[in-house]
């Protein structure tokens, strides 16, 4: 089967490709790297702002929010072209893809222009304050409290794994505003500027080494947040959470397809056992693209299919992880080698081509966690696809 698009869609793709050819920063311009997912070097701010101004940042948005009212299929080929060329359209992915998108879906007009537009234009960066100690996959168990006192909320509690928080200007923060309500019902969402008194951000290192710090602990001690910073209705934060992760999940499978394609491209089997699982890898890649294309067609018809996205999320992330595990095993000691990152920035959208197989494999675990863990996705599939009882 060969998938193709109509002339109008391919003309859209060609226009975007021409924009990229004419405007991509050079390797010399992009020499300064981002130090976290909320840090934007000046060249990266200029690059993101240019995309916003030309309608290529999020083409499905209206022009005033960095788009051109593109349809679902056009949005797909936009993302596909970025994936194919391995281009980062923003070095603050959660700010653009989740936080600004959530503000545009649930925020007031004032919030859209005060917060979302500056995030999209790279004038501000944002981090997502969801996970807590004891409330990671089970977001509804969060315990950070926000008490309404006149025209302000007073926030107390802790977040963890907050990517880029130490470099972010604002946090989209999920808080409990009604401790007596069922746990899914008493949650609200606040925009919290990180320079607010009482906010403490503590970055910590990951396996990538002490010099690379993206994760943070964030502490809130009697933090006063204006009530006008409430995003969506009071105590209706669960709707915002589902919408936030929905923005992240819609085309997430493309990133996993890119990882599978990289494994197909960069590894060549040398014995019968390797050839057997390599064939499975190729079939998994084709299956993922076909399932993704079917989901895309339903979305283009206006159908919402959350269970299908869960199937894609589980299958894509786990297939990529299994493939990279096999590659690492077959590569042996050579798979542990860590070459210096020499690829130009536009080859670093999903994985650094120059990274070791171990590095790629270790990073694959993020795919089975971010945007909803495999365990949570299996629960959705069990209940909403297979119709199994909750117990």
């Amino acid at each position: 089967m060969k998938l193709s698009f109509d002339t109008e869609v391919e003309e859209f793709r060609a226009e975007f490709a021409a924009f990229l050819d004419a405007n991509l920063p050079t390797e010399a311009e992009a020499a300064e790297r981002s130090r976290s997912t909320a840090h934007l070097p000046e060249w990266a701010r200029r690059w993101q702002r240019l995309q916003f101004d030309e309608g290529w940042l999020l083409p499905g948005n209206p022009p005033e929010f960095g788009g051109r009212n593109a349809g679902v299929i056009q949005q797909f080929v936009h993302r596909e072209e970025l994936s194919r060329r391995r281009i980062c359209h923003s070095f603050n992915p959660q700010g653009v893809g989740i936080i600004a998108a959530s503000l545009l879906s649930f925020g007031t007009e004032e919030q859209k222009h005060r917060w979302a537009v500056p995030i999209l234009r790279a004038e501000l960066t944002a981090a997502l304050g969801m996970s807590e100690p004891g409330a990671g996959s089970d977001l509804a168990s969060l315990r950070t409290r926000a008490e309404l006192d006149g025209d302000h909320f007073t926030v107390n509690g802790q977040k963890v794994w907050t990517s880029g928080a130490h470099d972010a200007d604002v946090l989209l923060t999920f808080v409990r505003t009604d401790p007596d309500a069922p746990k899914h019902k008493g949650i609200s969402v606040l925009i919290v500027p990180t320079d607010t008194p009482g906010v403490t951000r503590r970055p910590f290192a990951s396996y990538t080494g002490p010099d690379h710090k993206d994760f943070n602990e964030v502490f809130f001690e009697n933090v006063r947040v204006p009530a006008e910073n409430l995003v969506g209705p009071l105590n209706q934060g669960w709707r915002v959470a589902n919408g936030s992760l929905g923005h992240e999940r819609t085309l997430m499978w493309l990133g996993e397809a890119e990882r599978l394609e990289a494994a197909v491209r960069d590894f060549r089997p040398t014995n019968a056992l390797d050839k057997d699982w390599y064939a499975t890898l190729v079939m998994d890649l084709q299956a993922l693209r076909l399932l993704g294309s079917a989901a895309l067609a339903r979305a283009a018809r206006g159908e919402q299919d959350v269970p299908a996205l869960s199937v894609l999320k589980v299958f894509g992330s786990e297939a990529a992880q299994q493939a990279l595990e096999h590659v690492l095993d077959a590569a042996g000691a050579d798979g542990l080698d860590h070459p210096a990152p020499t690829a130009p920035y536009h080859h670093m959208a999903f994985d650094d081509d120059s990274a070791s197989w171990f590095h790629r494999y270790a990073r694959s675990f993020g795919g089975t966690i971010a945007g909803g863990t495999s365990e949570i996705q299996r629960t959705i599939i069990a209940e909403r696809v297979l119709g199994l009882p909750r117990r």
Side-chain angles (χ1 to χ4, degrees), residues 323-353:
L324 289 166
E325 182 179 12
H326 279 299
V327 170
L328 180 61
D329 182 60
D334 290 341
L336 299 176
D337 192 27
H338 285 263
T342 57
Y345 98 94
H346 48 278
H347 288 171
M348 299 182 65
F350 299 101
D351 281 302
D352 184 353
D353 283 331

Side-chain angles (χ1 to χ4, degrees), residues 33 49 57 76 81 84 128 145 176 220 254 298 327 367 369:
R33 301 295 181 144
R49 194 171 303 129
L57 184 64
F76 171 81
E81 197 66 24
R84 178 180 299 164
L128 185 63
R145 292 278 297 273
R176 186 160 300 284
F220 303 89
L254 264 176
R298 287 190 291 272
V327 170
I369 298 171

Side-chain angles (χ1 to χ4, degrees), residues 145-147 152-157 190-200 218-226:
R145 292 278 297 273
E147 298 179 0
H152 280 73
F153 288 94
T154 301
V155 182
N156 285 279
L190 298 172
I191 284 284
V192 182
T194 55
D195 61 358
T196 306
V199 176
T200 301
V218 182
F219 299 89
F220 303 89
E221 185 175 358
N222 295 322
V223 177
R224 288 178 58 79
V225 180

Side-chain angles (χ1 to χ4, degrees), residues 21 331 349:
D21 290 339

Side-chain angles (χ1 to χ4, degrees), residues 247-260:
H247 290 303
E248 186 180 22
R249 290 174 184 152
T250 303
L251 292 177
M252 182 179 284
W253 63 271
L254 264 176
E256 305 302 345
E258 173 67 24
R259 292 183 178 92
L260 286 171

Side-chain angles (χ1 to χ4, degrees), residues 29-241:
E29 290 172 330
E32 182 185 359
R33 301 295 181 144
S34 173
R35 63 175 178 255
S36 79
T37 55
H39 168 249
L40 296 179
E42 189 53 41
W43 69 265
R45 291 183 186 271
R46 292 194 301 269
W47 166 235
Q48 183 174 319
R49 194 171 303 129
L50 176 64
Q51 293 172 85
F52 178 95
D53 292 340
E54 297 296 324
W56 289 120
L57 184 64
L58 295 172
N61 287 359
E64 62 268 29
F65 299 122
R68 49 183 61 203
N69 292 315
V72 172
I73 302 297
Q74 292 172 320
Q75 293 175 57
F76 171 81
V77 300
H78 171 267
R79 176 67 183 269
E80 187 179 51
E81 197 66 24
L82 290 172
S83 174
R84 178 180 299 164
R85 296 176 181 229
R86 303 181 66 73
I87 295 169
C88 285
H89 71 311
S90 171
F91 282 83
N92 182 212
Q94 69 273 18
V96 170
I98 302 176
I99 297 163
S102 298
L103 288 165
L104 295 182
S105 295
F106 299 99
T108 64
E109 288 303 312
E110 193 273 341
Q111 289 172 342
K112 293 175 185 179
H113 289 91
R114 182 181 178 187
W115 304 112
V117 170
I119 292 170
L120 292 172
R121 298 195 76 250
E123 295 162 356
L124 297 175
T125 61
L128 185 63
M130 277 188 167
S131 296
E132 299 182 5
S137 297
D138 185 15
L139 174 66
S141 295
L142 67 85
R143 292 182 293 178
T144 295
R145 292 278 297 273
E147 298 179 0
L148 185 59
D149 179 16
D151 60 356
H152 280 73
F153 288 94
T154 301
V155 182
N156 285 279
Q158 178 188 355
K159 300 292 179 180
V160 73
W161 310 113
T162 314
S163 298
H166 59 304
D167 287 315
D169 297 299
V170 297
L171 303 172
L172 187 73
T173 309
F174 288 74
V175 295
R176 186 160 300 284
T177 44
D178 186 350
D180 298 322
K183 67 179 188 178
H184 290 82
K185 301 292 185 181
I187 297 172
S188 299
V189 184
L190 298 172
I191 284 284
V192 182
T194 55
D195 61 358
T196 306
V199 176
T200 301
R201 297 163 286 168
R202 295 179 183 171
F204 56 90
S206 68
Y207 79 94
T208 54
D211 295 331
H212 178 78
K213 294 182 179 180
D214 195 39
F215 294 137
N216 279 252
E217 295 177 297
V218 182
F219 299 89
F220 303 89
E221 185 175 358
N222 295 322
V223 177
R224 288 178 58 79
V225 180
E228 64 190 28
N229 288 20
L230 175 70
V231 180
L234 185 68
N235 298 323
Q236 296 298 311
W238 192 249
R239 284 183 56 226
V240 181

